Amino acid sequence: PGDYLASKFPYIAEEVTNRLQGKVTKLDEDGVIGYKTIRAWQTVMGSPYTDGEISDQLLSAQEFVTSTTDAWEFNDGDGSATIKTWQNFLVSKGYDIGSYGDDGYFGHDVAMATQKFLQDNGFSVGSYGCDGVFGYDSSMALQKWINSQLGA
């Protein structure tokens, strides 16, 4: 970014520089899984994509992932490589992701397995516990876990 942008909007200039250099910085733990959280999540788990998007999710899955932005694409598509990578990670750690296996969809079973993983690693997923609905508290726990993996 140019000097003018950097002088007027230093936080934007920093983000642009980080993206151009492929750097992932500490996440704001705001309980919303948007572009920056997804990009960091993709980086931490070694996803084949680091575009900051979760694509091709089932429309019905929206009820299980409530703290999202337009970085999530709900369109009854073919599933996401990022979510498939996450599902394989969970299975490798001994968590049950349900009978559909690594299908690339973040539904109830994957939400519950993710909550259990986070809780088992010392992150609070909220007062409802592992209920299979990935809302604000679970999203914040995921952000805290990602930050711990980034060393942030």
Side-chain angles (χ1 to χ4, degrees), residues 59-140:
L59 288 168
S60 61
Q62 286 178 303
E63 68 182 283
F64 305 116
V65 188
T66 61
S67 195
T68 64
T69 68
D70 61 358
W72 286 72
E73 183 180 82
F74 294 95
N75 61 6
D76 285 342
D78 295 330
S80 164
T82 297
I83 297 303
K84 193 170 192 168
T85 301
W86 180 246
Q87 289 168 325
N88 288 321
F89 171 82
L90 290 171
V91 168
S92 77
K93 299 294 183 188
Y95 292 90
D96 179 11
I97 60 169
S99 60
Y100 293 107
D102 62 345
D103 59 5
Y105 298 117
F106 197 100
H108 179 268
D109 293 336
V110 176
M112 189 174 294
T114 302
Q115 289 170 321
K116 286 179 183 174
F117 167 77
L118 293 167
Q119 196 171 53
D120 289 350
N121 283 277
F123 300 95
S124 172
V125 294
S127 59
Y128 292 107
C130 301
D131 61 357
V133 177
F134 213 80
Y136 173 82
D137 292 324
S138 298
S139 298
M140 189 179 306

